[in-house]
Amino acid sequence: DQQVKQNSPSLSVQEGRISILNCDYTNSMFDYFLWYKKYPAEGPTFLISISSIKDKNEDGRFTVFLNKSAKHLSLHIVPSQPGDSAVYFCAARSGGSNYKLTFGKGTLLTVNP
Amino acid sequence: DVKVTQSSRYLVKRTGEKVFLECVQDMDHENMFWYRQDPGLGLRLIYFSYDVKMKEKGDIPEGYSVSREKKERFSLILESASTNQTSMYLCASSLQGSRWKLFFGSGTQLSVL
């Protein structure tokens, strides 16, 4: 039962354009969401997060949007840079859990120069 | 910067062997985690620990055990390695106050033959 779904295994974008990575979830108990970025041969690194009491959180070029009614969140990267090429994981915390995150399968973003 | 160090980058073991994966963090984090990453499955939590000598099962604990005798060190043990435990193993740590912001090590690619 996949509770966090990233339906696009890959995405290719031109440098300077917007990248939009999508994530859907099924568990209504999820109340906190995070995005992690992973380069090859490295561990994931935290990118940005959002609480369910908000619908948007911004950090520089990165913005996460949350649509609770649709159980959908998205990560926008503007403008995209070649260094953004990585695998992006969406993760969610259940309000009933103190420590457990549920991760999606990841989306490989390629930003072409 | 937080550093999470995993003892081996690559490891090859035989079926039935007892395998130890070691992880050390240098930022006095209370929480430590072991995940495995498999193609098409994302990151799945094996075990976590929120204090010395404390441990909790994650989503896929079968075939694994853990040890946390010191705050900075969290070991994952495969009691009798099997081929379906061939995977990328990722250790992570976090502060109690921001437990969802995980800091990951670079991973250990384990092959069980």
Side-chain angles (χ1 to χ4, degrees):
Chain A
D1 177 26
Q2 196 186 344
Q3 298 185 63
V4 176
K5 301 176 185 178
Q6 293 178 257
N7 291 320
S8 298
S10 63
L11 175 68
S12 184
V13 171
Q14 282 300 117
E15 181 178 5
R17 298 287 188 103
I18 184 171
S19 295
I20 300 177
L21 296 101
N22 293 305
C23 179
D24 296 296
Y25 62 96
T26 58
N27 189 338
S28 300
M29 295 297 290
F30 287 151
D31 63 355
Y32 193 74
F33 304 88
L34 307 93
W35 286 93
Y36 283 83
K37 177 170 76 172
K38 184 182 186 300
Y39 292 118
E42 294 183 15
T45 55
F46 169 79
L47 190 58
I48 193 169
S49 63
I50 187 167
S51 165
S52 59
I53 62 173
K54 294 186 172 182
D55 53 19
K56 177 182 172 181
N57 189 27
E58 197 170 350
D59 184 3
R61 296 186 297 113
F62 302 91
T63 303
V64 56
F65 295 92
L66 175 62
N67 182 332
K68 287 191 292 291
S69 60
K71 292 191 177 67
H72 177 83
L73 67 157
S74 60
L75 175 68
H76 293 211
I77 306 173
V78 184
S80 301
Q81 299 173 353
D84 296 328
S85 297
V87 176
Y88 289 79
F89 291 99
C90 173
R93 181 201 83 157
S94 170
S97 167
N98 281 326
Y99 294 92
K100 184 183 157 188
L101 287 177
T102 301
F103 282 83
K105 294 181 180 181
T107 296
L108 173 62
L109 172 67
T110 302
V111 180
N112 302 301
Chain B
D1 268 359
V2 176
K3 196 166 177 70
V4 179
T5 303
Q6 295 185 230
S7 53
S8 304
R9 182 77 183 102
Y10 298 97
L11 212 51
V12 179
K13 295 292 181 181
R14 297 227 174 259
T15 302
E17 278 192 74
K18 191 168 185 175
V19 181
F20 293 86
L21 302 183
E22 306 288 345
C23 175
V24 177
Q25 50 95 3
D26 66 357
M27 282 300 290
D28 205 34
H29 284 178
E30 294 88 352
N31 308 313
M32 296 190 75
F33 306 81
W34 276 106
Y35 284 86
R36 64 179 278 179
Q37 182 189 2
D38 299 289
L41 292 177
L43 279 70
R44 293 180 293 166
L45 180 63
I46 305 171
Y47 267 97
F48 65 93
S49 168
Y50 52 87
D51 201 353
V52 175
K53 296 193 186 296
M54 304 303 290
K55 59 187 179 185
E56 294 283 344
K57 293 180 180 179
D59 293 321
I60 51 165
E62 296 79 17
Y64 303 94
S65 62
V66 290
S67 173
R68 192 164 181 206
E69 296 296 319
K70 294 185 177 181
K71 190 174 186 179
E72 68 270 18
R73 187 179 296 269
F74 193 35
S75 303
L76 180 69
I77 304 153
L78 287 66
E79 297 290 342
S80 177
S82 63
T83 54
N84 62 13
Q85 292 179 308
T86 291
S87 185
M88 170 66 76
Y89 290 87
L90 291 161
C91 175
S93 70
S94 70
L95 272 172
Q96 194 63 9
S98 55
R99 64 184 69 155
W100 311 112
K101 186 177 178 181
L102 303 181
F103 293 84
F104 283 88
S106 297
T108 296
Q109 179 62 52
L110 172 67
S111 296
V112 182
L113 306 178

